[in-house]
Amino acid sequence: MTSSSPAASTLGGLAEPTRDSARFATVRDRLYTPVVCDVLDQMGLVHQFLPPEIRGITTDSVVVGRAMPVLIADVFEPQRQPFGRLTEALDQLQPGEVYLARNGDSVPTAAWGEILTVTARVRGAAGAVIDGYHRDTPRVLEQGWPVFSRGAYAQDAEARKTVLDFRVPIEIGGVRIAPGDLVFGDRDGVLVVPSAVEDEVLERALEKASAENHVRQAIENGMSSTEAFAEFGVL
């Protein structure tokens, strides 16, 4: 699509890092994960949703930002360096980034909590998405900052997990996540938009969201769903 289209104009300068805050606001205000998923499917990118168990700590949680992938591995006793490179990863979070962690598989543990939340929040990070559990739930909630996880579970990570590396490609549930990919989560789940196709995906998603509004209005005005689908091509 050309930059002269209405959607492209709204998202103008999408590839420029300095425009990310405006882009994130557009995604937050005008899009929702189902419509972005539909566009990804149409483009042949059919494995972009993280597992459905990964949900917002509240039903109205929304996260939009750049992936800062974190690789966590299982350990089986306390390590010489507790938690591995966890504090290093936290202290290098940049504004607008999402701490997105693949947890080890063998033992369920909390990979996020109160102190991690405050550290990421004061650094301007956009949220945390954890393929694992969070704890300190009341203290996380009171900070009003988006956390997505598999739920609340207090078992500590120190003797069970270690952060091996960060800003490296990872996979969660068959979804490949590279540093800088767009992460978008709401009450319907969390998906990842590869940076290479981000502009096209968002432009098409904005157009589809607008079309869906027209379909809803048409049906509310008496048109059948069959007629609406035939006319607008969205459902």
Side-chain angles (χ1 to χ4, degrees):
M1 295 186 180
T2 67
S3 59
S4 61
S5 71
S9 179
T10 301
L11 294 167
L14 293 180
E16 300 175 25
T18 57
R19 301 290 181 90
D20 265 355
S21 59
R23 169 177 292 205
F24 298 162
T26 297
V27 173
R28 181 184 298 272
D29 295 342
R30 297 181 55 189
L31 294 178
Y32 36 97
T33 57
V35 73
V36 178
C37 174
D38 290 351
V39 169
L40 288 164
D41 284 350
Q42 291 166 5
M43 295 172 62
L45 299 167
V46 297
H47 301 293
Q48 299 305 129
F49 252 112
L50 299 186
E53 295 81 8
I54 299 175
R55 293 284 183 173
I57 192 171
T58 63
T59 57
D60 61 351
S61 295
V62 177
V63 62
V64 184
R66 299 276 170 217
M68 200 276 263
V70 177
L71 181 61
I72 301 175
D74 294 324
V75 296
F76 302 95
E77 61 182 17
Q79 303 293 294
R80 294 175 189 168
Q81 182 179 356
F83 303 107
R85 301 182 69 188
L86 172 60
T87 58
E88 184 182 350
L90 289 169
D91 288 343
Q92 291 195 30
L93 275 168
Q94 299 299 309
E97 288 189 326
V98 177
Y99 183 101
L100 203 165
R102 175 193 168 101
N103 211 352
D105 296 328
S106 67
V107 179
T109 56
W112 198 260
E114 175 191 4
I115 302 303
L116 280 68
T117 300
V118 70
T119 302
R121 179 173 58 80
V122 300
R123 292 192 60 80
V129 176
I130 309 297
D131 182 26
Y133 298 87
H134 71 270
R135 67 181 200 169
D136 306 324
T137 304
R139 299 296 181 89
V140 173
L141 285 170
E142 70 185 17
Q143 297 186 55
W145 192 80
V147 173
F148 286 68
S149 78
R150 290 178 178 261
Y153 186 61
Q155 183 158 256
D156 190 34
E158 182 174 0
R160 302 172 179 91
K161 307 287 180 180
T162 188
V163 173
L164 291 180
D165 209 349
F166 57 94
R167 296 197 193 285
V168 294
I170 61 174
E171 289 190 10
I172 297 175
V175 180
R176 180 176 173 82
I177 304 119
D181 284 347
L182 180 68
V183 181
F184 180 23
D186 58 20
R187 66 178 60 194
D188 287 321
V190 181
L191 55 74
V192 178
V193 180
S195 58
V197 296
E198 181 180 320
D199 288 2
E200 182 179 359
V201 169
L202 295 185
E203 289 167 13
R204 290 175 60 171
L206 286 168
E207 291 171 356
K208 188 173 191 297
S210 178
E212 288 184 352
N213 290 335
H214 290 307
V215 169
R216 175 172 175 170
Q217 292 171 6
I219 291 174
E220 288 176 340
N221 289 334
M223 183 180 286
S224 72
S225 60
T226 300
E227 292 170 330
F229 183 66
E231 180 169 340
F232 298 102
V234 296
L235 189 63

